[in-house]
Amino acid sequence: MRKKKHLAITLATALVLATILTGCGGGKDTETNSSGGNTPQVINVATTQDPASLDTSKLADSASNTVAQETQEGLVRLEDKKLVAAGAEKWENSEDGLTWTFHLRDYSWSDGQKVTADDYVYAVRRLFEPEVACPNAGIFYMIKGGEAYNTNKGKAEDIGVKAIDEKTLEFTLNEPTPYFLQLMNFVNLLPLRQDMVEKAGDAYGTDPQQVVYSGPFVIDQWVKGSKIVLKKNENYWDAESVKLDTANIHLVPEEATRQQMFDGQSLDLIQNVKQEYSDMLEDRIDKGEVTSIKGYYPSVGYIAFNNNDPNKIFTNEKVRLAFSLALDRDGYVKNVTKKDQAAYAFVPYGLNNGDEVFREAVEEPLKALKNQDPKELLKQGLQELGLDPDKQIEVTFLQRNADADTRVIGEFYQSQWEENLNVKVNIDTASDGATFNTMIMKGTYQVAQTGWGADYNDPMTFMGLFITGDGNNSAFFSDSQYDELVKKASTELDMGKRLEMFKEAEKILIADKAGIAPLTFNVASNYLQSYVKGLSIEAGGPAYELKHVYIEK
């Protein structure tokens, strides 16, 4: 058997690229990497959709998060699976766990103005501002006064965040929170300049020229529907560590197009590829032209049922469970996506509960229900809804866009539900990713496929989504027992008790109440040209971390 030169890693916190082969780029134009003279420090990567905004108070999608985290510097940063000092040089937590104090380093915005503790205070207050409607606000409700202000029951000045002086920031919490430091890497807590936000008004975040930057890069161009061009931020505090001059982020929705671009070296990184393409790259790996990284990345794809379905169908838990169990997940990953792993649980591999990997300690709860008859469940559910179980029902599946891969996936669900449940499935197509996200969060859909990736290394980054009223609760799921368990787990310091709380809550979400239907756990197969060095992929960070990347001839 041929020796495989890719690096396989099972993750606890993140996937971190270790480049293990070298080679030359050769024959590329000025937008890429030429083979003569000094090697231009330019990288070409891809995204599947435009950022929704550059306004960090409102971000929740991967494309937006990636651009924000490459261009702004928060209190901490993820590097090689660890949180390291970034905007803050050091920090401490009080003995009772309720007060966190961060000491900022001396660093500046791209226009030369100093970053101060007040920039963080403004960012925190703004993410809780009701009119801003940050979808992630609920994640930070452990900050004293945050929930009250976010729900129009309190004042901004009562939120537990304050500037002790220009370089000292203090948080006050309602209760000790085991994962609070992990949250300091979160995109919504990046510093924010009040003068720039107020100057732009409602248009803030739409024009990169009206934004100032504190991170490794600045946005030089944003050609919507085409690309984003990042340039090195010469005012960045750690500019000496940044070797790239330019990062071109191309908008390429189609995987086949991304493969062609990678083969032609007009893309230097390709992520989450299908197995058949991965197999095709093995010869190039052996020749030293390409390097790879494979392993679990903490994210899950799932079917969201609108639990508030105006047509009533998906308001019933037995109907939802029938639609969930009618899906052949193993066939889906083998024959349709040709990548990833079938998921019978919601919390993916690669996340820790304390020192223990959660998914290794807790069996996937949906596996225990695989032998139930989905047709019988559907019949019972329709009867409970007062509908005739012998009359064919009709539902509408919302797909993200009209690209070829998305259509194939939508047709798989359509055929599975029509064949296994004898229902009529119509397919509705959103015009683009941003429209899809808006429709999901407004509840103007019946059933759709979506997903979630880890923002920090703890099960709460997933379980918190489906607390009643959470801004990211795409299924509008609501269950008082689930809420109670997850909220208790968020402050429980005994990791054994905490594990049992999450275990029971997960079972309620996907088996007992079937608020959603998990589909796949992401098993990342990522490849890059061998002349690219220092790139990492961090769970909870941007889709690709470019700060330490350099191009080697």
Side-chain angles (χ1 to χ4, degrees):
M1 186 174 71
R2 286 188 302 138
K3 182 179 180 182
K4 308 293 186 185
K5 295 185 180 179
H6 56 249
L7 180 64
I9 305 174
T10 301
L11 302 173
T13 308
L15 290 172
V16 180
L17 177 64
T19 50
I20 55 176
L21 298 172
T22 58
C24 60
K28 303 184 77 178
D29 61 28
T30 55
E31 274 295 298
T32 56
N33 300 297
S34 66
S35 58
N38 294 326
T39 303
Q41 293 300 307
V42 178
I43 192 170
N44 288 275
V45 293
T47 183
T48 58
Q49 65 182 58
D50 272 311
S53 173
L54 304 177
D55 184 348
T56 54
S57 298
K58 299 179 179 180
L59 305 187
D61 65 284
S62 177
S64 303
N65 290 355
T66 294
V67 173
Q69 289 178 303
E70 294 293 354
T71 57
Q72 304 293 358
E73 187 82 324
L75 296 168
V76 298
R77 199 171 187 92
L78 268 173
E79 291 186 5
D80 294 342
K81 301 188 256 187
K82 299 176 183 177
L83 289 173
V84 300
E89 291 184 306
K90 60 181 180 178
W91 50 85
E92 57 262 0
N93 185 209
S94 62
E95 197 169 314
D96 62 6
L98 297 180
T99 304
W100 285 82
T101 306
F102 293 86
H103 305 275
L104 273 60
R105 70 175 69 251
D106 185 17
Y107 74 118
S108 301
W109 295 96
S110 53
D111 65 356
Q113 185 169 314
K114 295 292 185 182
V115 178
T116 70
D118 281 327
D119 295 326
Y120 285 94
V121 172
Y122 178 67
V124 174
R125 288 181 174 177
R126 190 165 183 266
L127 80 87
F128 288 125
E129 191 173 318
E131 292 77 14
V132 171
C134 174
N136 295 324
I139 292 172
F140 304 99
Y141 278 179
M142 77 288 292
I143 298 174
K144 188 176 180 180
E147 181 176 9
Y149 181 51
N150 191 233
T151 55
N152 291 298
K153 298 175 184 176
K155 301 177 182 177
E157 53 266 32
D158 293 334
I159 295 172
V161 60
K162 64 179 179 180
I164 304 299
D165 55 43
E166 281 196 352
K167 295 300 179 185
T168 310
L169 178 71
E170 182 183 273
F171 287 92
T172 303
L173 309 186
N174 294 312
E175 60 273 315
T177 303
Y179 55 93
F180 186 72
L181 188 61
Q182 298 279 347
L183 293 179
M184 296 303 98
N185 183 56
F186 213 100
V187 66
N188 304 127
L189 288 186
L190 294 168
L192 198 57
R193 276 266 294 277
Q194 184 173 358
D195 61 325
M196 301 301 291
V197 175
E198 293 179 349
K199 180 181 178 181
D202 292 340
Y204 182 74
T206 61
D207 180 0
Q209 305 308 316
Q210 296 189 53
V211 178
V212 286
Y213 306 96
S214 57
F217 301 94
V218 301
I219 300 177
D220 183 61
Q221 297 179 51
W222 181 8
V223 184
K224 294 184 179 181
S226 178
K227 67 178 180 179
I228 295 172
V229 179
L230 306 183
K231 294 289 187 180
K232 179 177 177 177
N233 181 4
E234 298 297 343
N235 278 338
Y236 181 50
W237 71 269
D238 195 22
E240 288 185 2
S241 297
V242 181
K243 306 304 180 187
L244 287 176
D245 294 319
T246 303
N248 298 307
I249 305 175
H250 302 275
L251 178 62
V252 192
E254 299 275 2
E255 183 169 344
T257 305
R258 295 195 296 274
Q259 291 175 7
Q260 291 172 1
M261 293 176 70
F262 186 76
D263 289 341
Q265 295 188 345
S266 54
L267 272 188
D268 297 320
L269 168 69
I270 186 168
Q271 297 185 278
N272 300 323
V273 304
K274 293 181 179 179
Q275 186 60 49
E276 56 191 358
Y277 184 63
S278 179
D279 292 341
M280 291 172 60
L281 290 174
E282 293 301 327
D283 284 339
R284 294 184 63 192
I285 291 173
D286 290 343
K287 291 175 182 177
E289 299 172 353
V290 172
T291 59
S292 73
I293 177 169
K294 297 184 180 182
Y296 284 115
Y297 183 88
S299 68
V300 62
Y302 64 92
I303 292 291
F305 304 115
N306 188 343
N307 287 217
N308 291 337
D309 181 6
N311 294 324
K312 290 199 343 181
I313 301 296
F314 291 109
T315 63
N316 183 273
E317 63 197 51
K318 289 180 180 176
V319 171
R320 298 193 298 263
L321 185 58
F323 273 74
S324 177
L325 295 178
L327 294 172
D328 177 6
R329 290 165 172 80
D330 295 291
Y332 177 67
V333 299
K334 181 179 179 181
N335 303 314
V336 180
T337 63
K338 299 179 181 178
K339 60 182 178 182
D340 296 332
Q341 175 179 311
Y344 296 88
F346 182 56
V347 179
Y349 289 86
L351 288 176
N352 282 21
N353 177 63
D355 295 329
E356 189 173 29
V357 178
F358 178 83
R359 195 74 278 150
E360 293 178 1
V362 178
E363 186 177 358
E364 298 178 51
L366 210 58
K367 287 184 175 180
L369 305 180
K370 287 176 70 174
N371 293 327
Q372 287 199 28
D373 181 1
K375 280 188 177 179
E376 180 59 29
L377 281 168
L378 179 62
K379 179 180 178 181
Q380 293 173 11
L382 293 176
Q383 288 174 330
E384 291 176 2
L385 288 169
L387 300 175
D388 183 355
D390 296 321
K391 183 178 179 180
Q392 187 182 50
I393 62 169
E394 192 168 328
V395 300
T396 299
F397 174 79
L398 174 66
Q399 64 182 19
R400 181 175 296 273
N401 54 45
D403 75 52
D405 294 330
T406 304
R407 288 199 305 270
V408 169
I409 289 170
E411 288 165 1
F412 170 81
Y413 302 137
Q414 183 182 48
S415 65
Q416 288 274 291
W417 290 326
E418 289 188 346
E419 292 171 13
N420 298 330
L421 295 176
N422 190 32
V423 301
K424 171 67 175 173
V425 180
N426 301 310
I427 295 181
D428 185 19
T429 304
S431 57
D432 54 36
T435 302
F436 173 85
N437 290 336
T438 299
M439 293 176 71
I440 292 292
M441 299 321 297
K442 287 186 175 181
T444 54
Y445 79 101
Q446 265 194 299
V447 57
Q449 179 195 347
T450 185
W452 190 260
D455 288 307
Y456 49 94
N457 183 26
D458 191 274
M460 268 300 295
T461 190
F462 287 86
M463 301 302 290
L465 297 185
F466 292 103
I467 291 174
T468 301
D470 186 86
N472 290 306
N473 188 340
S474 54
F476 301 92
F477 176 74
S478 179
D479 181 81
S480 59
Q481 187 181 4
Y482 177 89
D483 293 350
E484 183 180 0
L485 285 164
V486 175
K487 287 178 180 178
K488 282 184 177 179
S490 71
T491 60
E492 178 57 63
L493 300 180
D494 183 316
M495 291 299 111
K497 292 180 180 178
R498 194 169 187 260
L499 184 82
E500 291 302 313
M501 292 173 185
F502 280 138
K503 177 181 178 180
E504 187 177 348
E506 185 183 46
K507 181 174 178 289
I508 291 170
L509 175 64
I510 68 166
D512 298 346
K513 300 295 183 179
I516 62 167
L519 290 168
T520 57
F521 294 141
N522 181 212
V523 182
S525 295
N526 305 309
Y527 295 86
L528 61 159
Q529 311 292 356
S530 60
Y531 49 73
V532 178
K533 306 298 180 184
L535 186 144
S536 64
I537 301 172
E538 310 274 358
Y544 26 72
E545 177 55 81
L546 302 176
K547 176 179 175 179
H548 296 291
V549 170
Y550 63 97
I551 305 300
E552 183 174 271
K553 180 179 176 182

